[in-house]
Amino acid sequence: MTPDEHKAAGRALFEAERDGRQIGLLSLAHPGMSLDDAYAVQAALVAHRKEAGRRVIGWKIGLTSRAMQDALKIDTPDSGVLFDDMLFEDGAEIPAGRFIQPRIEAEIAFLMKAPVSGGDVTREAVLDATEAVAPSLEILDTRILRADPATGKARVITDTISDNAANAGIVLGRQRHDPRAVDLRWAGAIVKRDGVVEETGLGAGVLDDPVTGIVWLVRRLAQYGQGLAAGEVVLSGSFVRPVEAPPGSRFDADFGGFGAVSVSFAKA
């Protein structure tokens, strides 16, 4: 893809989000699209959101589980940017029509107290820079069709990355924990939709340790001269499959001693 094509795709995604509609698969429109192309499109989308007055508050890591990587035939996670209008309080009700096709994932959020960067960052450096960890839910959405209606071709990793890693919202639980005092590999959740258990999982589903996800992100950002800043929130990756969130649904994630978090979606 050319720089002009990156910008055009970023604008198309921005307008799709603004207007509550979906665009066609970028991977079909640009068959030779690379991961670098996808992140360039994401950067163009992020630039439009900043120009519209939105403020960056952190990052999300996606595709950390083996099952999701196998499904997309990749061997690496992806990342996206969190903005201030994506943050919802625990127990919030999402207004009808806010998202196109929302889904929910359970994750452990890292709250950063100090900057951390560098291609050789260590696990210890990440822990030193982390103020606390907290239970959270990520709201996913897609401004790109999940599948092309004419060919049946499903979206691929370049589509997802371009679309800000399908990022749409974050719901933070109220509980805060010292990351060194909790074995995050065993921090898990029971996720219910409308009172019915839909998914369960453990932090170990995220690259064997959620901290590993943060290390991966810092090293990836270092390739672009970036890093994590103090005060940012980082979603470390889901340890459950995405669960559809239709209008009128309610989600409760029970993390046991680690905490709890909930969100509901208003009826259409």
Side-chain angles (χ1 to χ4, degrees), residues 22-254:
Q22 293 175 312
I23 66 171
L25 274 63
L26 293 177
S27 58
L28 271 182
H30 305 280
M33 191 177 187
S34 67
L35 292 182
D36 285 339
D37 285 324
Y39 279 114
V41 172
Q42 183 187 117
L45 169 60
V46 166
H48 281 299
R49 283 192 125 260
K50 288 180 177 178
E51 289 169 5
R54 300 273 58 98
R55 177 175 58 86
V56 173
I57 62 167
W59 302 82
K60 63 92 40 126
I61 305 167
L63 303 178
T64 50
S65 74
R66 172 69 69 177
M68 292 299 292
Q69 289 183 8
D70 286 348
L72 290 174
K73 296 179 174 57
I74 59 169
D75 59 3
T76 182
D78 69 356
S79 66
V81 181
L82 294 172
F83 287 91
D84 55 344
D85 62 335
M86 297 177 176
L87 183 61
F88 296 93
E89 292 185 358
D90 183 16
E93 181 179 69
I94 308 301
R98 170 65 190 271
F99 302 117
I100 302 169
Q101 288 183 319
R103 295 183 293 171
I104 289 290
E105 292 181 335
E107 310 197 16
I108 294 170
F110 285 64
L111 313 179
M112 311 309 296
K113 65 181 178 182
V116 60
S117 61
D120 58 352
V121 68
T122 63
R123 186 177 188 279
E124 286 301 307
V126 166
L127 290 173
D128 286 343
T130 302
E131 178 180 1
V133 287
S136 70
L137 293 171
E138 181 182 4
I139 303 172
L140 303 174
D141 200 10
T142 174
R143 281 67 59 169
I144 294 178
L145 291 169
R146 294 186 189 176
D148 178 64
T151 65
K153 182 181 183 298
R155 62 180 178 171
V156 296
I157 183 65
T158 49
D159 295 300
T160 303
I161 290 173
S162 298
D163 193 19
N164 198 19
N167 184 26
I170 171 178
V171 187
L172 274 180
R174 296 180 175 87
Q175 298 80 9
R176 300 290 183 269
H177 304 275
D178 178 347
R180 295 183 184 277
V182 180
D183 185 347
L184 296 177
R185 298 176 67 249
W186 287 97
I190 302 167
V191 180
K192 294 182 179 181
R193 180 178 63 190
D194 301 330
V196 178
V197 175
E198 291 285 349
E199 278 293 313
T200 63
L202 292 174
V206 179
L207 303 173
D208 195 37
D209 183 350
V211 180
T212 303
I214 311 300
V215 171
W216 172 87
L217 176 63
V218 173
R219 291 178 178 175
R220 194 196 76 75
L221 292 176
Q223 300 173 22
Y224 303 91
Q226 299 174 289
L228 303 183
E232 288 189 331
V233 180
V234 185
L235 289 174
S236 60
S238 177
F239 45 78
V240 301
R241 68 173 177 86
V243 182
E244 301 290 343
S249 59
R250 175 186 171 86
F251 288 82
D252 296 279
D254 180 358

